[in-house]
């Protein structure tokens, strides 16, 4: 399943790497230009850069593999 704007994702529950966002659900608000070979996103309108590797699952479609 290809992630799209408006979908909600669960950030990995890893407090060491994600500190205050670990285990939180956030909405994809923007797809960012190429970030190396990975797709990059802005979540909840913030200016941070998030990649698919940062997400545990897509809350909207929890059983599908993210692309």
């Amino acid at each position: 399943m290809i992630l799209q704007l408006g979908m909600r994702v669960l950030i990995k529950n890893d407090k060491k790497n994600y500190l205050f966002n670990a285990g939180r659900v956030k909405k994809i608000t923007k797809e960012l230009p190429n970030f190396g070979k990975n797709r990059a996103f802005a979540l909840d309108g913030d200016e941070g850069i998030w990649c698919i590797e940062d997400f545990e699952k897509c809350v909207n479609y929890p059983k599908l593999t993210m692309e």
Side-chain angles (χ1 to χ4, degrees):
M1 176 244 339
I2 296 175
L3 292 176
Q4 299 175 21
L5 296 180
M7 290 184 168
R8 297 178 311 134
V9 292
L10 176 66
I11 307 298
K12 289 183 178 176
N13 195 15
D14 178 354
K15 291 188 188 272
K16 178 182 175 192
N17 291 312
Y18 303 110
L19 199 57
F20 299 114
N21 293 308
R24 297 184 99 177
V25 174
K26 294 189 170 254
K27 186 193 306 188
I28 297 173
T29 53
K30 185 176 183 182
E31 186 164 356
L32 302 174
N34 293 337
F35 187 70
K37 293 185 178 185
N38 299 324
R39 290 180 68 206
F41 305 93
L43 303 178
D44 287 344
D46 67 16
E47 295 300 318
I49 298 173
W50 296 87
C51 295
I52 283 180
E53 292 77 21
D54 301 324
F55 309 147
E56 185 73 32
K57 64 182 176 184
C58 176
V59 176
N60 304 85
Y61 304 97
K63 295 184 180 184
L64 297 178
T65 304
M66 297 178 289
E67 292 179 25

